[in-house]
């Protein structure tokens, strides 16, 4: 028998901590936190500010509500496909490891290139700007807040969230849990108010709800785009699979609970809006939830902007939490510089990856308006969603040896792939614009880095990519 001194015991403990944390984060996210991550990331500013975009694409109340419901069904089907993939390939990083396993490193790299450099940080920036706009509105009641104030507040929001995520995984998901409860509270207030108004007979806007509906192929596709933007985040739990407790149980369970909950909330919130506003008034409102609050909750209407700030802050926190994991996994696989795969020994967080995402997000708040750019990159996101579900179909035949604790009927990924093709092609066919080409060029442009840095691995590129 050997006895260890305190110094040796301390060194052994440190070695165990390093071995457990280097390359693999700790499993600290439970079922409740998983549900809160899905719900908290999906419910951002969209449902409170701009449901009118879906109404513009459909032309009537009935089709508008149908699109919101269909978006929820599509998100649920996509998430069920991801549940099979997540329990079959136990790696963090969202679509990245699934595309790697299904189609090889090239497609996985192009996904990580597009998402890490553009989609994740710019989405983080837009959510932070929405948070800053509502936070600054109360200080400028007579006019629109200056852009410099909004952008400084957005940068501060990004900085605070990045620091929280670098300090502690537990602190990050506790912040997520708190703000998820806050945003569900305001949704309950809006829904209950709408039910009371409907019970009082305010149903005139729901009568003949399909009159004047749009039948344009491309317009309905754009309506789905805007609805699915509000649902975006249904795949967030797959970015942190390695940090999820009991993933075989908690991953599908969190999806089955979280996404239908958001779908029900969105449908009832839209019904509540139509109990107060006509379709024309809703289209003219710059912020639908604020208009609803001014008409129904006065003199407590100030709680709506406050809870929109809570909602957007929580969504930004969820976006940052998952974006860091994708960057970390890409660094671990050699598709980013090696330092991105480092994990803090003391805090068990992928700090370099989180800081990189935060820096890019601050850069993206500097331009005057990046919302248009993100709208065009939404089609790129659905390209990767479709390819990921296609990878699931392909691996049913090419990787039969993999265990599948969760196995969805093959018709579900087939439907998601078909809908993804529609969502990608419909807006381009209806209204072809140069921005779609620019987006495609950006994605393919990743090959300029892939060939020398990843494929051939020249000596000079190894020195750049290595630690």
């Amino acid at each position: 028998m050997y006895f260890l001194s305190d110094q040796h015991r301390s060194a052994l403990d440190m070695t165990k901590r390093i071995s457990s944390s280097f390359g693999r984060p700790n499993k600290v996210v439970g079922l409740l936190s998983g549900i809160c991550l899905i719900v908290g990331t999906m419910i951002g500013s969209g449902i409170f500010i701009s449901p009118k975009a879906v109404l513009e694409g459909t032309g009537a109340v009935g089709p508008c509500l149908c699109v919101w419901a269909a978006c929820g069904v599509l998100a649920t089907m996509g998430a069920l496909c991801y549940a099979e993939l997540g329990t079959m390939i136990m790696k963090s990083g969202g679509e990245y490891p699934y595309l790697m396993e299904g189609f090889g490193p090239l497609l996985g790299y192009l996904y990580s290139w597009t998402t890490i450099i553009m989609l994740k940080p710019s989405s983080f920036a837009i959510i932070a700007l929405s948070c800053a706009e509502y936070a600054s509105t109360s200080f400028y009641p007579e006019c629109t807040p200056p852009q410099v104030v909004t952008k400084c507040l957005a940068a501060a929001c990004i900085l605070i969230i990045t620091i929280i995520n670098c300090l502690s995984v537990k602190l990050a998901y506790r912040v997520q849990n708190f703000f998820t409860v806050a945003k569900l509270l305001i949704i309950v207030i809006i829904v209950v108010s709408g039910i009371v108004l409907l019970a009082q007979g305010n149903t005139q806007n729901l009568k003949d709800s399909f009159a004047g509906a749009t039948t344009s192929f491309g317009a309905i596709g754009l309506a789905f785009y805007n609805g699915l933007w509000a649902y975006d985040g249904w795949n967030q739990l797959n970015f942190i699979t390695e940090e999820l407790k009991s993933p075989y149980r908690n991953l599908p369970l969190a999806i089955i609970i979280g996404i239908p909950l958001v779908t029900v909330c969105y449908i009832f919130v839209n019904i509540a809006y139509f109990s107060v506003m006509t379709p024309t008034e809703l289209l003219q409102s710059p912020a639908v939830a604020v208009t609803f609050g001014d008409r129904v909750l006065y003199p407590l209407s100030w709680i709506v902007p406050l809870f929109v700030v809570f909602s957007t802050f929580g969504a930004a926190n969820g976006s940052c939490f998952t974006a860091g994991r994708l960057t970390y996994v890409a660094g671990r696989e050699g598709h980013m510089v090696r330092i991105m795969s480092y994990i803090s020994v003391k805090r068990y967080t992928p700090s370099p990856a989180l800081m990189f995402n935060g820096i890019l997000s601050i850069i993206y708040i500097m331009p005057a308006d990046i919302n248009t750019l993100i709208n065009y990159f939404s089609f790129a996101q659905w390209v990767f969603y479709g390819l990921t579900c296609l990878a699931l179909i392909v691996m049913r035949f090419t990787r039969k040896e993999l265990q599948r604790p969760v196995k969805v009927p093959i018709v579900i990924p087939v439907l998601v792939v078909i809908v993804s093709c529609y969502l990608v092609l419909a807006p381009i066919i209806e209204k072809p614009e140069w921005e779609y080409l620019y987006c495609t060029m950006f994605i393919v442009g990743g090959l300029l880095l892939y060939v020398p840095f990843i494929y051939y691995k020249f000596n000079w590129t190894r020195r750049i990519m290595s630690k």
Side-chain angles (χ1 to χ4, degrees), residues 5-25:
S5 67
D6 291 341
Q7 183 178 3
H8 288 157
R9 188 175 289 106
S10 176
L12 181 60
D13 291 341
M14 179 61 73
T15 302
K16 289 180 178 178
R17 290 172 66 189
I18 293 174
S19 63
S20 67
S21 66
F22 189 82
R24 287 288 189 273

Side-chain angles (χ1 to χ4, degrees), residues 127-432:
I127 299 171
L129 283 168
S130 298
C131 180
E133 286 173 2
Y134 271 82
S136 58
T137 298
S138 58
F139 297 98
Y140 295 89
E142 302 295 331
C143 60
T144 303
Q147 279 199 355
V148 64
V149 173
T150 302
K151 291 182 178 182
C152 286
L153 281 175
C157 176
I158 291 170
L159 187 61
I160 291 169
I161 290 172
T162 303
I163 291 172
I164 288 171
N165 280 268
C166 288
L167 286 177
S168 169
V169 176
K170 288 185 178 180
L171 177 61
Y173 73 69
R174 282 172 181 167
V175 168
Q176 189 69 22
N177 294 354
F178 172 80
F179 284 103
T180 299
V181 172
K183 65 182 69 179
L184 286 176
L185 178 60
I186 189 60
I187 283 178
V188 168
I189 292 173
I190 293 174
V191 169
V192 171
S193 301
I195 291 173
V196 171
L197 289 168
L198 291 173
Q200 292 175 348
N202 294 283
T203 60
Q204 60 274 13
N205 296 327
L206 300 176
K207 296 176 181 178
D208 297 325
S209 58
F210 285 86
T214 300
T215 57
S216 169
F217 180 80
I220 295 174
L222 290 172
F224 268 96
Y225 259 172
N226 288 285
L228 289 167
W229 174 257
Y231 279 97
D232 196 40
W234 52 265
N235 62 331
Q236 295 303 292
L237 208 55
N238 291 75
F239 283 87
I240 61 163
T241 306
E242 295 171 22
E243 297 171 73
L244 192 63
K245 297 177 183 176
S246 305
Y248 293 149
R249 170 184 175 271
N250 290 340
L251 178 59
L253 198 56
I255 287 169
I256 292 169
I257 296 172
I259 300 177
L261 175 62
V262 174
T263 304
V264 171
C265 288
Y266 280 4
I267 293 171
F268 277 100
V269 166
N270 275 276
I271 292 173
Y273 291 155
F274 287 119
S275 70
V276 174
M277 289 172 276
T278 65
T280 303
E281 290 173 333
L282 191 143
L283 290 173
Q284 293 174 348
S285 172
V288 180
V290 175
T291 304
F292 180 90
D294 290 338
R295 296 188 180 185
V296 179
L297 302 177
Y298 186 83
L300 299 177
S301 55
W302 55 269
I303 67 172
V304 174
L306 175 64
F307 276 91
V308 171
V309 171
F310 287 168
S311 178
T312 49
F313 190 90
N317 182 71
S319 176
C320 177
F321 190 87
T322 57
R325 273 61 184 175
L326 172 60
T327 309
Y328 145 76
V329 173
R332 189 177 66 188
E333 297 293 335
H335 286 174
M336 293 287 288
V337 289
R338 187 66 61 186
I339 194 174
M340 294 300 173
S341 67
Y342 286 9
I343 295 175
S344 170
V345 175
K346 293 183 178 180
R347 305 189 185 279
Y348 306 107
T349 58
S351 301
L354 289 164
M355 288 187 280
F356 180 73
N357 180 64
I359 290 169
L360 284 180
S361 300
I362 290 175
I363 292 172
Y364 287 151
I365 67 173
M366 294 179 183
D369 181 25
I370 60 173
N371 287 274
T372 303
L373 183 62
I374 291 301
N375 288 336
Y376 290 113
F377 268 82
S378 293
F379 109 95
Q381 187 68 70
W382 275 97
V383 168
F384 290 117
Y385 286 157
L387 286 172
T388 303
C389 292
L390 182 60
L392 173 60
I393 298 170
V394 169
M395 285 190 284
R396 286 282 181 93
F397 301 97
T398 60
R399 302 296 299 274
K400 294 180 179 180
E401 76 281 3
L402 292 175
Q403 293 184 353
R404 292 171 170 83
V406 177
K407 190 173 182 179
V408 299
I410 193 70
V411 67
I412 292 180
V414 169
L415 284 173
V416 175
V417 171
I418 292 171
V419 173
S420 299
C421 292
Y422 167 72
L423 290 172
V424 170
L425 296 175
I428 299 176
I429 294 171
E430 177 76 11
K431 190 180 179 182

